Amino acid sequence: MVPFEQTLMIKCSKLFNTNNAHFTLTPSHHVNTTLHSTPLFGLYPFMATSSLAGAASNFTLLRHSETRSLSSSPGNSIKLFKSKREASTCHATRVSAVPRASSREVTVVGGGVVEKGREKGRALRVGLICGGPSAERGISLNSARSVLDHLQGDDLHVSCYYIDCNLNAYAISSAQVYSNTPADFDFKLESLAQSFQTLSDLAEHLATAVDIVFPVIHGQFGEDGGIQELLEKYNVPFVGTGSRECCQAFDKHKASLELGKHGFITVPSFLVQGYETNKSELSEWFKKHQLDPDLGKVVVKPTRGGSSIGVRVAYGVNDSIVKANEIMSEGIDNKVLIEIFLEGGSEFTAIVLDVGPGSYSCPVVLLPTEVELHFRGANDVKENDAIFNYRRKYLPTQQVAYHTPPRFPLDVIENIRKGASLLFQRLCLQDFARIDGWFLPNSGSKLSSSSESEFGRTESGAIIFTDINLISGMEQTSFLFQQASKVGFSHTNILRSIIHHACLRFPNLASVSGISGHLPSRSKSLQLNRSFSRHEGAQKVLVIFGGDTSERQVSLMSGTNVWLNLLAFHDLEVTPCLLSPTSECASSVDMGKADDVMNRTVWSLPYSLVLRHTTEEVLAACMEAIEPERAAITSDLRKKVMNDLMEGLKDHNWFTGFDIADELPVKFSLRQWIKLAKEVEATVFIAVHGGIGEDGTLQSLLDAEGVPYTGPGAMASKICMDKVATSVALKHLANSGVLTINKDVRQKDDLFNKPINDTWHDLTRKLQCQTLCVKPAKDGCSTGVARLCCSKDLAIYVKALEDCLLRIPPNSLSKAHGMIEMPNPPPEHLIFEPFIETDEIIVTSTFENETGHGLTWKGHSRWVEITVGIIGKCGSMHSLSPSVTVKESGDILSLEEKFQGGTGINLTPPPLSIMSENALKRCKQHIELIANTLQLEGFSRIDAFVNVDSGEVLIIEVNTVPGMTPSTVLIHQALAEQPPLYPHQFFRKLLDLASERSM
C-alpha cells in the first residue's frame, strides 16, 4: 500500500508581492499538477492506494482590467512579478489540497483565493482533534482546552474529536475536553461519544462536517505526519505542515541530517536502532568527539518524541547503551539518538509564524525565550544531570525560569530569529511551528557543520537548532502565547491568525469573510490617576493571586485562568493583580501584623506579564519592565518583530491589528490597592490560596472598606483555614452522617528536640493507628503531606523540615510515593492524623472486563476519596456532583495529580459501579450540611472520604479559595450540572454571587 498526498507543484524561483492585489482566475493556460507518495515507514497502514488523476488546469490571471497569461509545462518555472518586497519560497510550493468544488470562478484577494458564490456569513467550522497514542496525549488535551476557550464564537464553531492511545477515533463533546486527563473519560467513551469504525471513517466525516481541521495531537500521529497524511488523502483542509515535511522534521535524526545539508551547525549524534548496538562503533564515535568512553557525558533521547519524555543523561559507552535500551524497552521509540551533552550552554525556544500570502512562505520569528534551569541553594534537591524535563515544562517550579526576550547579546537574538526563519523555509513548514535550540558562548570544536556557510557561528558563540515542534503546546501560558503577547497578540488573535493563514491555502476557504475581526476586550493595568474610562459602564473586576505560601504557583495558575475566562464578557473590565511575596526571611508572625499586611505590594499587570509559570517570574518581569535599560532593549526588539509581522499581515484583509498594548505594570501597597478598588466600585475575585487570601485577613480588610469579593466571609475563612477548628465546628454532626478525623497538633521545635522513636510511639498510641498522615496545619495543595509508616519515615520527614528542604525526592519513605513538595519556610505547627485506607481504583483506556468498562474497583473497605465543589448563597449552598479522586503515584494525591493538566484522574460523577444514586444523593446532602454549618457562601471545595453504601462523609478539609486552574475538578463538576456550566459561565456565576452579596 502506498499512501499519498495530492499537491499542486508550482516551480518558482521568486515571488514578488503587490499590496492589495486583486486577480481573477479563469481557465486559459496550463499549470502542472503532480501526485506523489509520502509513505511514513509503514507506521499508519490505514491508507489505501488511490489513483486520482493529476488534473491539468488552464488559468488566466487578471489584475483589474489587465490580463496576464502564465504558461507552464513540466520543467518550466513561473514568476509572478509584483511590486515591493520579495520572499524566497521552497522550490516546490505546496497548495495543500485541490478544492472540493472548484468549477466556479474564483478571485484572488490579498494573496488568497476566494471562491465566488461561497456562502457568506456562515460560521467557519473548525474540527479540533486531540489525544493520540503518545505519552503527550494529556498535554494534547490541555492544548485543545485552551484552543477551544479562545476560538469558540458566533462566527467560528468548534467541534471536538479525540483519538485514543489505540488510534480509535471519537467525536466528543466540548465538555469532555475540560477533563483533567484522557483517563477521566477513556473508560466511558463507548457510552458517551460517537465512535468511528476506522480512521478513514473519521476522515470521511470531517470532509463534510468541518471546513478545516486544527490538529493538536502532540508527538506520534500528530507531528510525525500521520494525521496529516490521513487528512490529505481525503482532501480535508488542515492547519499546519504537510505530512511529508512533518515526517522529516519530527524525526530528530532526519532533521539533523537535513539541517546539516543546509549549512546549520548540528550536535554530533549516534543513531541506535534495535537492541543490538554496535559497541565498537559507538566507542569510536566517543573518541572521535573527544569523549571519554567510560565517563563521557551524553544525552540519550528518542528520535521521535516530544516534551522531553524518555530523555536521560548517560556517562560512557556502556551506560549509553543501557539508557538507549531502556527507552526502547519502555516502548517510547525503537530509534534512539545519542548526542554530546552541551555543557555551559543556554537553551532557547522560538515561535515562528508564517504571515505570507497563501502557500508562499514568509515566516516571522517572534521574540525567543531563554530557558534557565537553576536551583535555590543548598536546600534544594539538585540534580547533576538536570535537563528541561516533562515536570519542569508543565508544572510550575522554581527550578526553571523563562526570559523573553533572552538575556543574550543582540546579535545572537537576531541570528536566532534569522536562522529559525530560514529553517522554517528550508524544511517547507507551514502556518506556525516552535523551534528549540542552544546558544553556546565561545563553543569548542565538538559541534559540526557540513557547509562552508556554517550558519549559527557568531562572534558571541554558536547557535544550534535541535528540535522542531510542528504542533507547539498551546496551554494558557505556553511559549506560543507568551511570545505572541509580547508582540501584541492576545490568545484569540494569534489562534485566529494561524487559522486564517491556513485557510488561504484552500480556495474554498480563502475568503473566511464570515470570521469577524472583532476580538474580546482586553484588560489594562490599573492607574491611580485613571478611572477606567475605556469601557464606560463596564463592571470593574480585580483578580488577585500570588502571595507567600507554597500554594502561590497554583494561585498564579488559578488567577490566570479566571482572568482569561472573564475577559470573554464585554460588560466587564478585568485587571489581573499579583500579591507580591514578602521577603523569605520574614517570619509568619511578622507577616500577620496588620500594618505589615497593609504595606504588602500588589502589582497591576499588563497582559503579557501574567503569562508566566511562577510568581517569582512575574515579579522579576515586573522589575525588568521598569528597569530602563532592559525595558528599552525589549521595546526595540518588540517594535522590530511587529514591523516584520505587519509587512506580511497588512496584505491580509482578515487581520484587524494587534490587540495587546505595550503597557507597564503598576505598583501599589495593599492599602492603596483596596482604596482604589473602593473608588472604582470594583469586585475583587480572590484567587490567593492559603495565607492572607484564605485565613480571613484579606476578607476582613475588604469588608472594612465595603469592597465586595468572591468566596466565604472572614470568619468562615478563618475557621476553615484551621483544620483543627474545622473539625471542632463539625464534631456535633456525627449523628447526621458527618464524621471528623482525630488530630494531634505538634510544634515543629518539639519534633526537632524530642527523640523520634518517643514521638512516633506517642502519636500512634494517642491516635490508635499504625500509619500516620502528616500535613502542615495551615497549608494546602498537598504541600508537605505524606504517609508515614514507621519511625524511620518520621525521622526523614523531620530532617527535611530541619534542613528546610524544598522537596523530598520520590520513594524516600518506606511506602512508594512521588515527589513531595515541602512548605517554605517550614510550618510552625504540623497535624498528625490516622491514615485512612481506601480501595485502589484502576482505570484503563481499554474495555477489558466483563462489564465493558476499563474501571476496576474491588470495594473491600467501601470508602473512596472525593472532592466536591459547592456554590450558592449563605444558608442555601448547593453541592455539585462529587469527583472520585484516583491516586496514581502513591497514597497521597501529588501536586501534579491535583493541578498539572494531563495528570491525575478524577471520575465525575462517581460511576454507578462504585456509588449508587441514593448514596450519591445522601452524600451531597451531607456536603451541603457541612457548608451551611460553616456558613460558607459564594463557592468552596470540600475534600472528604465517603462511604459508598451509606453516603456518610469523613471530612478531610474545606478550601474556601479552591484551585481554579484549567484542569480543576470544579470545572468538571460544573459541566455535569443541568444545564452544563462552561468555564466562563461558571466563573461569571461566582463573580455575580459576590456582587449580589454586596447589594
Side-chain angles (χ1 to χ4, degrees):
M1 293 190 294
V2 183
F4 70 95
E5 64 175 283
Q6 185 169 11
T7 62
L8 178 64
M9 307 295 288
I10 304 176
K11 296 182 179 179
C12 56
S13 54
K14 300 285 184 182
L15 170 69
F16 295 83
N17 188 32
T18 300
N19 295 330
N20 303 316
H22 188 279
F23 301 98
T24 301
L25 269 63
T26 56
S28 176
H29 294 282
H30 290 282
V31 176
N32 183 49
T33 60
T34 305
L35 294 178
H36 63 276
S37 301
T38 56
L40 296 177
F41 305 98
L43 288 175
Y44 308 110
F46 54 79
M47 302 297 184
T49 304
S50 274
S51 57
L52 289 181
S57 304
N58 302 323
F59 297 101
T60 295
L61 195 58
L62 304 175
R63 184 182 183 207
H64 301 297
S65 59
E66 175 187 2
T67 301
R68 295 185 184 183
S69 295
L70 301 177
S71 64
S72 173
S73 60
N76 288 350
S77 62
I78 297 174
K79 290 186 179 180
L80 304 182
F81 291 94
K82 297 183 179 182
S83 63
K84 297 193 177 178
R85 64 182 170 83
E86 57 184 55
S88 63
T89 64
C90 295
H91 177 69
T93 303
R94 298 174 65 252
V95 177
S96 300
V98 173
R100 296 179 211 146
S102 57
S103 58
R104 288 172 283 184
E105 188 174 292
V106 295
T107 302
V108 178
V109 179
V113 184
V114 181
E115 180 184 353
K116 289 188 175 179
R118 179 185 181 272
E119 181 184 350
K120 291 188 176 181
R122 178 174 67 80
L124 186 74
R125 301 170 302 169
V126 177
L128 188 64
I129 303 183
C130 63
S134 83
E136 297 178 79
R137 58 186 170 274
I139 301 303
S140 170
L141 190 62
N142 296 350
S143 292
R145 184 190 306 128
S146 182
V147 171
L148 179 63
D149 275 343
H150 299 289
L151 271 187
Q152 186 77 281
D154 292 337
D155 58 339
L156 197 153
H157 293 172
V158 181
S159 301
C160 301
Y161 301 88
Y162 172 72
I163 294 176
D164 71 11
C165 58
N166 299 311
L167 292 182
N168 298 308
Y170 303 87
I172 62 174
S173 71
S174 54
Q176 287 169 304
V177 174
Y178 291 99
S179 300
N180 190 42
T181 171
D184 286 359
F185 59 80
D186 265 343
F187 71 95
K188 51 186 177 182
L189 276 171
E190 293 290 344
S191 60
L192 289 182
Q194 173 193 344
S195 62
F196 298 95
Q197 290 296 314
T198 65
L199 287 173
S200 295
D201 290 341
L202 168 66
E204 289 178 351
H205 164 84
L206 292 171
T208 57
V210 306
D211 297 313
I212 190 167
V213 166
F214 198 145
V216 290
I217 299 176
H218 304 309
Q220 294 172 18
F221 195 67
E223 294 180 89
D224 62 2
I227 186 67
Q228 292 81 4
E229 187 177 28
L230 174 68
L231 297 172
E232 286 164 353
K233 177 186 175 184
Y234 287 89
N235 200 27
V236 180
F238 60 89
V239 174
T241 299
S243 62
R244 184 177 61 172
E245 293 78 12
C246 280
C247 181
Q248 177 178 263
F250 182 69
D251 187 304
K252 294 178 175 63
H253 180 62
K254 288 183 180 179
S256 179
L257 294 176
E258 192 66 21
L259 289 179
K261 291 177 184 176
H262 289 294
F264 289 90
I265 301 174
T266 58
V267 182
S269 61
F270 184 91
L271 181 64
V272 176
Q273 298 188 76
Y275 292 97
E276 299 300 322
T277 306
N278 191 315
K279 185 175 179 180
S280 62
E281 287 185 10
L282 182 57
S283 297
E284 285 300 315
W285 180 85
F286 265 71
K287 293 175 183 177
K288 176 183 176 181
H289 296 289
Q290 304 169 31
L291 295 171
D292 186 320
D294 296 320
L295 299 173
K297 192 174 182 180
V298 294
V299 175
V300 185
K301 61 173 70 171
T303 62
R304 295 164 296 189
S307 294
S308 298
I309 293 172
V311 179
R312 52 205 73 185
V313 175
Y315 291 86
V317 173
N318 291 333
D319 192 31
S320 298
I321 294 173
V322 169
K323 297 286 173 61
N325 289 339
E326 286 175 358
I327 291 172
M328 290 184 282
S329 63
E330 290 170 13
I332 298 173
D333 200 353
N334 58 6
K335 292 170 62 180
V336 177
L337 213 57
I338 299 173
E339 296 179 343
I340 65 171
F341 191 99
L342 299 176
E343 298 277 10
S346 297
E347 194 167 356
F348 66 80
T349 185
I351 297 294
V352 188
L353 185 67
D354 192 354
V355 296
S359 296
Y360 303 106
S361 178
C362 182
V364 175
V365 180
L366 307 186
L367 288 180
T369 298
E370 174 191 356
V371 179
E372 180 190 16
L373 293 183
H374 60 80
F375 299 88
R376 301 169 60 201
N379 295 339
D380 206 348
V381 181
K382 186 167 183 176
E383 301 172 34
N384 293 324
D385 303 330
I387 55 175
F388 188 36
N389 60 19
Y390 186 90
R391 191 173 196 267
R392 295 188 179 102
K393 282 185 176 181
Y394 299 113
L395 186 71
T397 169
Q398 287 184 260
Q399 290 188 345
V400 63
Y402 305 104
H403 306 276
T404 309
R407 301 164 301 173
F408 303 158
L410 290 178
D411 69 307
V412 173
I413 296 174
E414 188 56 29
N415 275 288
I416 288 173
R417 294 190 64 234
K418 287 181 180 178
S421 176
L422 182 62
L423 186 156
F424 190 96
Q425 288 178 307
R426 294 283 174 85
L427 297 187
C428 296
L429 309 185
Q430 293 183 149
D431 297 329
F432 78 115
R434 197 188 84 232
I435 298 173
D436 303 338
W438 289 79
F439 166 57
L440 275 72
N442 305 314
S443 62
S445 59
K446 291 183 180 180
L447 301 176
S448 62
S449 175
S450 59
S451 170
E452 294 179 0
S453 63
E454 291 195 340
F455 186 90
R457 296 201 182 275
T458 72
E459 292 182 0
S460 303
I463 298 167
I464 311 103
F465 296 106
T466 56
D467 291 280
I468 302 163
N469 301 272
L470 287 314
I471 301 176
S472 177
M474 284 167 269
E475 295 182 297
Q476 283 183 347
T477 57
S478 66
F479 293 123
L480 173 65
F481 299 126
Q482 282 187 34
Q483 295 180 22
S485 68
K486 274 286 189 180
V487 294
F489 287 104
S490 66
H491 289 65
T492 297
N493 200 359
I494 187 66
L495 288 172
R496 289 192 169 215
S497 294
I498 289 169
I499 288 180
H500 275 300
H501 186 270
C503 286
L504 293 177
R505 290 196 302 279
F506 303 95
N508 287 4
L509 302 178
S511 167
V512 292
S513 56
I515 301 182
S516 167
H518 179 73
L519 294 166
S521 59
R522 297 296 158 196
S523 60
K524 280 194 173 183
S525 298
L526 283 170
Q527 304 286 345
L528 278 173
N529 59 356
R530 185 169 64 84
S531 59
F532 295 94
S533 59
R534 194 165 65 89
H535 293 308
E536 200 64 39
Q539 180 185 350
K540 314 304 184 293
V541 182
L542 309 183
V543 181
I544 187 168
F545 46 84
D548 288 284
T549 72
S550 54
E551 301 176 73
R552 61 189 178 276
Q553 315 307 0
V554 175
S555 172
L556 173 59
M557 296 167 67
S558 292
T560 301
N561 189 43
V562 170
W563 163 65
L564 286 171
N565 273 281
L566 292 181
L567 283 181
F569 296 95
H570 297 291
D571 63 330
L572 301 179
E573 185 161 351
V574 192
T575 302
C577 303
L578 173 72
L579 176 63
S580 180
T582 57
S583 170
E584 289 190 357
C585 64
S587 70
S588 58
V589 175
D590 291 336
M591 287 188 282
K593 294 179 181 177
D595 287 343
D596 290 331
V597 169
M598 290 298 279
N599 289 325
R600 292 279 296 274
T601 298
V602 177
W603 290 87
S604 167
L605 303 172
Y607 195 106
S608 66
L609 292 195
V610 186
L611 306 180
R612 298 293 188 274
H613 289 76
T614 67
T615 55
E616 288 76 14
E617 220 181 303
V618 176
L619 182 58
C622 288
M623 303 304 294
E624 188 176 274
I626 61 176
E627 194 278 311
E629 184 177 350
R630 180 67 177 168
I633 292 172
T634 301
S635 179
D636 288 345
L637 289 169
R638 170 188 164 95
K639 290 175 184 175
K640 181 172 180 56
V641 175
M642 292 178 76
N643 287 337
D644 292 345
L645 288 166
M646 279 307 301
E647 276 297 303
L649 292 172
K650 68 185 180 184
D651 296 329
H652 301 304
N653 56 11
W654 45 260
F655 184 69
T656 57
F658 301 104
D659 57 334
I660 300 299
D662 186 15
E663 296 179 307
L664 293 176
V666 183
K667 184 178 181 180
F668 304 96
S669 68
L670 183 57
R671 178 181 286 106
Q672 291 172 322
W673 184 81
I674 293 175
K675 180 182 178 183
L676 182 60
K678 180 179 181 180
E679 287 176 1
V680 301
E681 299 180 350
T683 300
V684 173
F685 201 118
I686 299 176
V688 178
H689 302 314
I692 70 168
E694 207 163 353
D695 66 4
T697 300
L698 183 55
Q699 290 81 357
S700 294
L701 297 174
L702 293 169
D703 280 335
E705 294 296 330
V707 177
Y709 55 87
T710 55
M715 184 56 68
S717 297
K718 183 177 181 180
I719 290 173
C720 293
M721 183 68 171
D722 186 328
K723 296 178 178 67
V724 174
T726 302
S727 291
V728 172
L730 298 174
K731 206 164 186 66
H732 68 284
L733 299 177
N735 293 329
S736 301
V738 176
L739 309 177
T740 57
I741 303 174
N742 292 330
K743 293 175 172 58
D744 193 315
V745 182
R746 298 290 170 113
Q747 287 190 356
K748 175 186 64 178
D749 291 341
D750 289 343
L751 294 175
F752 294 165
N753 297 326
K754 292 183 179 179
I756 289 295
N757 284 337
D758 292 350
T759 301
W760 176 260
H761 291 305
D762 188 42
L763 284 168
T764 53
R765 179 181 58 80
K766 286 184 176 180
L767 295 173
Q768 299 180 5
C769 63
Q770 298 301 314
T771 305
L772 299 174
C773 179
V774 60
K775 61 183 70 172
K778 296 182 178 182
D779 223 325
C781 296
S782 294
T783 304
V785 181
R787 179 181 184 177
L788 308 178
C789 297
C790 58
S791 60
K792 183 179 178 182
D793 287 348
L794 177 62
I796 293 171
Y797 189 90
V798 171
K799 180 65 173 173
L801 292 173
E802 197 168 11
D803 293 344
C804 299
L805 292 184
L806 299 179
R807 52 192 60 83
I808 297 176
N811 302 324
S812 298
L813 307 177
S814 57
K815 190 77 186 292
H817 63 87
M819 183 81 76
I820 300 174
E821 300 285 339
M822 297 296 286
N824 183 46
E828 292 299 318
H829 294 86
L830 291 112
I831 293 175
F832 293 87
E833 55 190 32
F835 182 84
I836 307 298
E837 293 278 0
T838 58
D839 293 315
E840 183 181 21
I841 299 173
I842 300 174
V843 178
T844 63
S845 59
T846 54
F847 308 95
E848 298 170 346
N849 63 22
E850 296 175 358
T851 63
H853 299 297
L855 187 150
T856 303
W857 177 65
K858 295 181 179 179
H860 295 310
S861 75
R862 313 305 293 167
W863 289 88
V864 295
E865 186 174 346
I866 60 169
T867 184
V868 195
I870 42 175
I871 60 174
K873 297 180 179 180
C874 188
S876 58
M877 295 293 282
H878 167 69
S879 170
L880 301 177
S881 182
S883 299
V884 175
T885 58
V886 179
K887 298 176 283 289
E888 297 180 283
S889 59
D891 297 301
I892 307 291
L893 280 177
S894 67
L895 183 66
E896 288 94 334
E897 288 169 334
K898 280 191 173 183
F899 300 109
Q900 178 178 306
T903 307
I905 302 172
N906 298 286
L907 308 179
T908 311
L912 288 174
S913 59
I914 292 179
M915 185 184 298
S916 69
E917 289 185 3
N918 286 335
L920 177 60
K921 181 180 178 180
R922 289 192 294 271
C923 169
K924 292 173 71 173
Q925 290 172 345
H926 293 142
I927 292 296
E928 290 171 353
L929 176 62
I930 293 168
N932 293 326
T933 300
L934 294 172
Q935 293 190 303
L936 301 181
E937 57 186 313
F939 73 110
S940 294
R941 193 190 78 231
I942 295 176
D943 298 337
F945 299 101
V946 63
N947 185 290
V948 297
D949 300 316
S950 67
E952 286 181 305
V953 296
L954 180 60
I955 190 77
I956 299 173
E957 63 183 11
V958 178
N959 300 273
T960 55
V961 185
M964 292 169 277
T965 66
S967 56
T968 177
V969 292
L970 290 180
I971 299 299
H972 314 168
Q973 294 171 12
L975 286 165
E977 293 288 289
Q978 292 300 326
L981 278 174
Y982 281 82
H984 65 283
Q985 297 169 322
F986 177 69
F987 291 121
R988 181 60 189 259
K989 183 175 181 64
L990 303 185
L991 181 69
D992 290 343
L993 283 169
S995 301
E996 291 168 10
R997 183 171 64 186
S998 67
M999 294 178 180

